[in-house]
Every structure is written in C-alpha cells, then in structure tokens.
Amino acid sequence: MTEMIAIRTLSILFFLSLLFACSEKEKTYYSNKKLKSEVLVVDGHWQGTWIEYFEDGTIKRKADYNDGIQDGLSISYFSDGKPYTESFFVK
C-alpha cells in the first residue's frame, strides 16, 4: 500500500515538473528598466493574464489568453487606475 502511494506521489511530481519546465514568465521593460508587461508563456504560447503597465507601475491593460489566443476579459485603464474599456473575447 505504501509503495502504491509512493509511486502515485512520484508520478504527480513528475507531471508537475514537466508542466512547469515548459513554462516561463515573459517580461518586457521600459528603457528606464521598469516593468512594461508580463505574461506566462507555455510551450511558446501566451497563457493566462497578460498585464501591461504604465511607466509609473500602474496597470494599463489586462487581457486573458488561452494557447496564444485572446480569450476572455480584456480591460484597459486610465493612468489614474480607473477602467475605461472592457471587452470580452471568445476563442
């Protein structure tokens, strides 16, 4: 019984390591080295929420991606942080 649990645990850990080995956080920066945008890249495709920032660090835009295609909520913000457009995309 304990051997089965150990095998299951190792299998889960192996799967998780494969999943995270193929993903990385892609970041771009302004010339002053402040963060401009960030998104998770999985197998070469944007995955999850892409976030773009104004130079002062406030959020400029957020958009959801699934396998590199915009899919879900997209919000653009004024520089004071208030939203000014919201869109919803369906893959």
Side-chain angles (χ1 to χ4, degrees):
M1 186 69 139
T2 16
E3 189 175 309
M4 293 273 296
I5 293 171
I7 290 172
R8 253 191 221 148
T9 303
L10 286 174
S11 297
I12 291 169
L13 290 174
F14 177 73
F15 172 75
L16 289 174
S17 69
L18 285 177
L19 177 67
F20 290 108
C22 300
S23 66
E24 63 182 81
K25 194 79 148 185
E26 179 181 288
K27 296 181 180 185
T28 61
Y29 296 89
Y30 287 102
S31 58
N32 63 7
K33 300 185 180 169
K34 289 192 176 188
L35 185 62
K36 184 176 183 177
S37 68
E38 61 184 332
V39 67
L40 183 66
V41 178
V42 178
D43 292 328
H45 302 287
W46 286 11
Q47 187 68 37
T49 304
W50 167 76
I51 304 172
E52 183 181 21
Y53 301 93
F54 288 103
E55 280 194 69
D56 68 1
T58 57
I59 295 175
K60 184 176 185 177
R61 244 183 313 233
K62 288 167 60 170
D64 293 332
Y65 281 81
N66 186 3
D67 291 328
I69 299 171
Q70 199 166 355
D71 182 31
L73 188 61
S74 176
I75 306 172
S76 296
Y77 298 88
F78 289 107
S79 58
D80 65 2
K82 294 179 183 172
Y84 74 87
T85 62
E86 288 188 16
S87 304
F88 195 83
F89 293 82
V90 179
K91 183 176 171 183

